[in-house]
């Protein structure tokens, strides 16, 4: 393949678009980038994404489009070319990750509009990297029938955790198969992974991307008894979904914003709820890193990536200050989230193998 790869990274709160070169013609491999917020999409995501894509250069040269798809469950254990069957299977998983799966399908429809239905499209799944989770890490403590239904921990942000672990190994000057890492993807969504010599062996997100750490507007882990209590009080399933997905996390705790920068600014201005939100955020990350370290036994480095992980010195410093027991030899690394390059590489590989 000689043409560029168009990459659509559709998240729960934003869409990142990129055109990735195949010839190393730019320093970072990217010819064009664009980012869209929920406000930019204006309630019409397919049309909003299509508008942005039409501003990209070299569209006529695009040979394949790579899509980040959050949930692949056990149906997809690697990237696949999207056809009618695989698209239907992705859509069937909407109940397992409603916001994210719909966003991916909106991106697929937009790309078809802009580059045409004849251009191949490839799905790259966030769950793939975590298919190596051991049974003890993947199973929930419910009845064993849950496993037969596929109700278990899948983990997410796998594209980012995989890429971050590769970059970290390179920075350490060691093969990835020789290092044990805790990777911290901290952005609008947040998750940790224990990467044991290139394999994910534990992670904080679970059956859905709602589990685990406190996030921008998602609650992360909540006592299921509290959820039962809310439902007994009359909270409907839809209301509970909205509460946990859109009105919790940093936004819900602070009452200020889902943006950590704005929450910190409010804290520095004396807002006690904002201070609590930051403290809870740090507490959950540090506790999660300790849990990932327990799954590894030995930790060579803690790796921070994502918008917060890369840019917030305060969060990194406060998290690591709570973890002196990891040892003085543990490296702390910061790597940019370069999911677009990983998605492009996976899309090219699928086209090369004809998978």
């Amino acid at each position: 393949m000689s043409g560029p790869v168009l990459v659509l990274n559709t998240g729960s709160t934003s869409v990142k678009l990129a055109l990735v070169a195949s010839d190393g013609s730019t320093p970072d491999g990217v010819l064009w980038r664009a980012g869209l917020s929920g406000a930019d999409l204006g309630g019409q995501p397919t049309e909003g994404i299509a508008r942005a894509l039409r501003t990209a250069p070299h569209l006529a040269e695009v040979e394949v489009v790579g899509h980040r798809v959050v949930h692949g469950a056990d149906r997809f254990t690697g990237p696949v070319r999207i056809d009618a069957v695989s698209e239907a299977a992705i859509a069937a998983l909407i109940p397992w990750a409603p916001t994210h799966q719909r966003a991916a399908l909106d991106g697929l429809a937009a790309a078809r509009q802009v580059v045409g239905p004849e251009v191949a499209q490839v799905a790259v799944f966030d769950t793939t990297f975590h298919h190596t989770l051991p049974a003890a890490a993947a199973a929930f403590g419910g009845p064993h029938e849950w496993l037969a239904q596929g109700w278990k921990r899948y983990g997410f942000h796998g594209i980012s955790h995989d890429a971050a672990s590769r970059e970290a190994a390179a920075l350490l000057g060691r093969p990835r198969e020789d290092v044990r890492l805790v990777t911290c993807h901290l952005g609008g969504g947040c998750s940790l992974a224990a990467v044991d010599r290139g394999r994910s062996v534990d992670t904080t997100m679970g059956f859905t991307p709602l589990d685990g750490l406190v996030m921008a507007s998602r609650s992360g882990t909540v006592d299921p008894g509290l959820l039962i209590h809310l439902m007994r009080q009359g909270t409907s399933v839809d209301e509970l979904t909205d509460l946990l997905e859109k009105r919790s996390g940093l936004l819900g705790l602070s009452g200020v914003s889902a943006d950590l920068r704005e929450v910190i600014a409010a804290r520095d201005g004396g807002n006690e709820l904002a201070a609590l939100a930051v403290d809870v955020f740090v507490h959950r990350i540090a506790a999660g890193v300790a849990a990932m370290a327990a799954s590894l036994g030995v930790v060579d480095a803690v790796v921070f990536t994502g918008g917060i992980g890369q840019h917030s010195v305060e969060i990194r410093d406060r998290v690591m200050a709570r973890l002196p027991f990891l040892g003085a030899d543990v490296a702390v690394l910061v790597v940019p989230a370069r999911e677009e390059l990983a998605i492009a590489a996976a899309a090219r590989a699928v086209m090369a193998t004809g998978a």
Side-chain angles (χ1 to χ4, degrees):
M1 288 184 60
S2 58
V5 179
L6 183 61
V7 173
L8 282 75
N9 183 342
T10 49
S12 60
T13 59
S14 65
V15 179
K16 299 174 185 176
L17 310 172
L19 197 64
V20 179
S22 59
D23 58 2
S25 57
T26 64
D28 65 353
V30 178
L31 298 167
W32 170 84
R33 281 192 180 90
L36 302 171
S37 67
D40 295 325
L41 299 177
Q44 296 181 311
T46 297
E47 290 74 11
I49 296 169
R51 272 196 309 274
L53 287 177
R54 290 190 183 99
T55 68
H58 310 294
L59 284 177
E61 302 168 25
V62 171
E63 297 182 28
V64 62
V65 182
H67 296 267
R68 175 198 177 204
V69 179
V70 162
H71 218 313
D74 284 330
R75 171 67 174 78
F76 298 104
T77 57
V80 296
R81 184 165 177 167
I82 300 174
D83 56 18
V85 174
S86 57
E87 184 175 353
I90 291 168
L93 292 169
I94 286 176
W96 292 19
T99 303
H100 296 84
Q101 294 299 95
R102 288 194 185 99
L105 293 168
D106 290 335
L108 173 62
R112 283 193 181 126
Q113 284 184 23
V114 174
V115 301
E118 69 282 356
V119 175
Q121 306 211 41
V122 170
V124 184
F125 296 91
D126 254 342
T127 45
T128 293
F129 183 58
H130 301 297
H131 274 287
T132 54
L133 288 179
F140 293 123
H144 64 85
E145 288 86 0
W146 284 9
L147 287 173
Q149 297 291 327
W151 300 345
K152 63 180 182 179
R153 184 177 305 281
Y154 285 100
F156 301 92
H157 294 137
I159 299 167
S160 177
H161 287 297
D162 186 13
S165 67
R166 293 178 187 278
E167 179 67 17
L171 290 172
L172 292 171
R174 295 165 63 183
R176 190 167 69 146
E177 294 73 22
D178 187 42
V179 293
R180 296 173 177 88
L181 309 166
V182 177
T183 50
C184 309
H185 177 99
L186 307 177
C190 301
S191 70
L192 312 176
V195 184
D196 187 354
R197 292 163 289 194
R199 294 167 58 86
S200 174
V201 296
D202 204 353
T203 189
T204 52
M205 283 183 168
F207 177 67
T208 75
L210 184 56
D211 196 13
L213 305 178
V214 167
M215 302 174 232
S217 65
R218 280 176 265 170
S219 65
T221 300
V222 174
D223 179 355
L226 174 58
L227 307 185
I228 294 169
H229 175 70
L230 288 169
M231 295 180 75
R232 283 178 173 159
Q233 286 193 325
T235 305
S236 70
V237 172
D238 287 343
E239 289 170 338
L240 194 58
T241 300
D242 182 71
L243 174 67
L244 298 174
E245 291 269 4
K246 299 179 181 178
R247 295 190 286 124
S248 295
L250 291 171
L251 173 62
L253 282 166
S254 71
V256 172
S257 174
D259 188 320
L260 178 66
R261 294 166 296 187
E262 296 179 5
V263 177
I264 288 176
R267 177 205 62 189
D268 293 346
N271 187 314
E272 293 183 0
L273 287 177
L276 174 64
V278 178
D279 289 346
V280 172
F281 187 66
V282 169
H283 176 85
R284 292 291 186 88
I285 296 168
V289 172
M292 296 300 105
S295 292
L296 291 169
V298 174
V299 178
D300 295 302
V302 178
V303 187
F304 290 91
T305 191
I308 295 171
Q310 182 180 352
H311 298 295
S312 180
V313 176
E314 176 186 339
I315 298 301
R316 295 196 305 268
D317 286 351
R318 289 185 61 185
V319 167
M320 295 310 301
R322 297 170 66 106
L323 300 165
F325 52 84
L326 292 181
D329 294 334
V330 173
V332 179
L333 305 176
V334 179
V335 301
R338 300 303 305 275
E339 291 169 295
E340 70 273 19
L341 300 184
I343 294 168
R348 288 193 188 101
V350 167
M351 298 306 294
T353 60

